[in-house]
Amino acid sequence: MNDFNKFSELTYQEILNKINNDQGNSFISIDQTIQDSKKVIAIKDIHAQKDFITTNASKMLSNYTSIYDSTVVKQLKKHGYSIIGHTNMDEFAMGSTNQSSFYGPVKSVYSDDYVSGGSSGGSAYAVAKGLIPVATGTDTGGSIRQPAALNGIYGMKPTYGLISRYGTFSLSSSFDTIGILSNSLNDNAQVINDLACNDSYDQTNYVPEDFNPLKTINQGVKGLKVGIMRSWLEEDGVDKEIKQATLEYVEELKKSGCEIIEIDVPLTSYSFELYIALAYAEASSNLNRYDGIKFGMSDIKQEGSIYENARSNFGTNVKKRLIIGTYMINSEHAQTFYGHAQKIRQLITNDFNKIFTTVDCIIAPTVPTLGILAGEKMQEQTAYLSDKFVIPANLVGIPAMSMPYKTSIKGQPIGVQIMANKYNEHIIYQVAKFME
């Protein structure tokens, strides 16, 4: 039975009680007007929903009420979903721990000593805890897959542009991708299918006519060619249990009739640096609109300019990224950093395109470690590795999913990442379904 079917048996009040009785701080707001609990879903607090406060987990937008629905919300309503509320996140989706939220951090389902991961940590916790069957997330540099892995659930980042970003607040426009977190693989694929539509409001959006993520989900894996990023497994800092689990996963596919091919994209070693140069620069540009006049809070009674007062409402993590990003696109440095980074990004894209002429999908770890302790800043090497494993899919725009595979000796979730060529989400679901 899929999780949607389980939740359809609950009344709205029962679902509401589950959320209100939980102390995980995963929900920012609840819609008290919903009466129908069938096909219940939660959305990350980054999608505009008409007449509903959408804050991006930031003080800057804590009083902002949207006057229109994002395309994500429109599609969910069109397909009969009940949006029960908005989930917590890192402020403006900037972070990997869900500790930068204005509303406080979200803990891991494994232990309160650990955080849920980010930036879609609220959605991941709510799904993994059983408060909701499915939730949306956004993935700019792993922000769906990383918290999915840390909480033992499915987290799908589809092809860039498959789901319209209209009405979803922008972090880095050439990276941002809307996806789904769920406990059920079939539910995950179904919601992705329902959200995929051609939208004239988003010029980066495109859905092939024959797109269907469920079309091969029950066909098995015999005959598929599977690539393995073995060099990633040899990096210092990769937990031995994660490495072992990934190799076991590949071995199971081999026993089931898959051809295993070792592959490598050496330029992915620059993923972390590329992400800083490109994503931070785009974030700086996108957040210029929060000036305290049309968007963003500002106290006109304070000394100083309205612009300065408004931007003081950003959190420390956001301010840091804006400063770095502004430096990157300064006229003196734009070509040195942003321009060169775009060229390397294209080279990585070319390498992946070549690889997908020989393999159907790629298997790799999702994250290098088993968890992130609450209150702890990620060690530089851990942050580097974590970004290296998940950012390449965002750089190239290909679909990638973290699926729960097993647990560690201590009971912490271990996820495995599956990547495929653009618009080949069905292959990812096919492999995941077989391993499920």
Side-chain angles (χ1 to χ4, degrees):
M1 180 183 289
N2 292 351
D3 288 341
F4 273 135
N5 295 330
K6 296 176 185 176
F7 268 74
S8 68
E9 299 170 0
L10 300 175
T11 65
Y12 170 73
Q13 191 59 49
E14 287 172 330
I15 296 173
L16 190 62
N17 290 340
K18 288 176 65 176
I19 295 172
N20 289 334
N21 291 335
D22 184 75
Q23 301 299 313
N25 202 27
S26 57
F27 275 86
I28 286 178
S29 54
I30 308 294
D31 189 344
Q32 303 285 346
T33 65
I34 294 176
Q35 299 300 320
D36 182 7
S37 65
K38 293 182 180 180
K39 292 179 73 173
V40 173
I41 194 169
I43 62 174
K44 187 175 180 178
D45 194 45
I46 199 170
H47 309 297
Q49 184 178 0
K50 186 176 181 181
D51 300 327
F52 213 82
I53 292 177
T54 305
T55 74
N56 279 256
S58 177
K59 180 181 178 182
M60 176 68 85
L61 293 174
S62 57
N63 64 350
Y64 173 73
T65 301
S66 178
I67 60 173
Y68 70 103
D69 281 336
S70 62
T71 299
V72 165
V73 170
K74 287 180 180 178
Q75 284 294 108
L76 291 174
K77 290 180 177 178
K78 174 183 174 181
H79 289 280
Y81 294 86
S82 295
I83 301 172
I84 200 165
H86 291 207
T87 55
N88 205 346
M89 55 184 277
D90 278 302
E91 183 183 9
F92 280 99
M94 297 185 188
S96 302
T97 65
N98 215 136
Q99 295 185 101
S100 68
S101 169
F102 177 63
Y103 301 96
V106 179
K107 303 298 178 65
S108 166
V109 291
Y110 167 71
S111 168
D112 285 349
D113 293 332
Y114 291 82
V115 291
S116 181
S119 63
S120 306
S123 291
Y125 176 93
V127 169
K129 191 72 173 180
L131 305 179
I132 209 77
V134 173
T136 69
T138 57
D139 195 310
T140 305
S143 291
I144 288 174
R145 289 161 288 155
Q146 185 243 40
L150 295 179
N151 289 277
I153 60 174
Y154 294 97
M156 168 62 96
K157 181 208 88 70
T159 303
Y160 174 80
L162 181 77
I163 298 174
S164 171
R165 293 180 293 112
Y166 176 71
T168 296
F169 288 73
S170 297
L171 168 55
S172 301
S173 302
S174 70
F175 288 79
D176 294 343
T177 309
I178 298 164
I180 294 298
L181 301 101
S182 68
N183 274 313
S184 162
L185 184 67
N186 283 74
D187 287 347
N188 194 296
Q190 185 59 60
V191 181
I192 289 289
N193 193 53
D194 291 340
L195 289 179
C197 70
N198 286 303
D199 182 11
S200 61
Y201 288 112
D202 181 357
Q203 298 305 305
T204 65
N205 167 240
Y206 172 71
V207 182
E209 287 186 10
D210 62 346
F211 177 77
N212 179 5
L214 291 159
K215 63 184 176 183
T216 60
I217 196 168
N218 294 314
Q219 286 188 9
V221 297
K222 187 176 181 179
L224 290 181
K225 295 181 179 180
V226 177
I228 176 172
M229 290 283 199
R230 189 175 291 276
S231 63
W232 290 10
L233 295 171
E234 304 304 325
E235 291 275 1
D236 292 336
V238 179
D239 187 276
K240 63 181 181 180
E241 290 189 75
I242 291 176
K243 177 179 178 179
Q244 184 61 34
T246 306
L247 292 173
E248 287 177 9
Y249 191 100
V250 172
E251 187 60 29
E252 287 297 320
L253 290 173
K254 183 178 180 180
K255 290 178 181 177
S256 302
C258 292
E259 179 182 351
I260 307 302
I261 302 172
E262 291 196 15
I263 59 173
D264 191 19
V265 182
L267 286 175
T268 56
S269 61
Y270 298 105
S271 295
F272 182 64
E273 292 84 355
L274 291 175
Y275 183 75
I276 290 177
L278 298 171
Y280 287 23
E282 293 177 9
S284 173
S285 177
N286 280 324
L287 269 64
N288 272 337
R289 72 194 69 180
Y290 302 104
D291 55 9
I293 299 173
K294 188 172 183 180
F295 294 107
M297 295 181 68
S298 182
D299 186 352
I300 59 175
K301 296 180 181 179
Q302 290 184 18
E303 294 183 5
S305 69
I306 293 176
Y307 187 80
E308 181 182 358
N309 292 337
R311 294 177 82 78
S312 68
N313 290 309
F314 283 131
T316 302
N317 195 39
V318 174
K319 290 177 182 176
K320 180 185 74 174
R321 296 193 183 207
L322 291 182
I323 291 170
I324 296 173
T326 302
Y327 180 85
M328 293 292 178
I329 55 176
N330 181 283
S331 58
E332 285 184 59
H333 311 117
Q335 186 55 40
T336 303
F337 297 109
Y338 190 81
H340 285 174
Q342 286 285 39
K343 292 177 182 178
I344 299 172
R345 183 183 194 176
Q346 185 59 54
L347 292 175
I348 294 175
T349 300
N350 295 343
D351 285 345
F352 271 96
N353 288 340
K354 188 180 296 184
I355 284 172
F356 281 121
T357 64
T358 59
V359 303
D360 297 299
C361 66
I362 298 170
I363 303 299
T366 307
V367 292
T369 60
L370 293 170
I372 303 170
L373 289 171
E376 178 187 80
K377 291 185 178 180
M378 296 177 73
Q379 294 295 318
E380 184 176 354
Q381 179 72 357
T382 302
Y384 164 75
L385 283 171
S386 180
D387 287 334
K388 179 178 177 180
F389 293 166
V390 290
I391 283 178
N394 296 90
L395 285 169
V396 180
I398 59 175
M401 181 174 72
S402 179
M403 71 163 288
Y405 180 54
K406 61 188 304 182
T407 57
S408 70
I409 294 173
K410 293 183 178 180
Q412 291 169 282
I414 296 177
V416 173
Q417 184 176 196
I418 312 169
M419 295 173 274
N421 205 359
K422 293 179 181 178
Y423 304 108
N424 280 349
E425 281 80 358
H426 62 281
I427 292 179
I428 294 177
Y429 287 118
Q430 180 180 345
V431 173
K433 183 67 174 180
F434 179 78
M435 295 303 295
E436 187 180 44

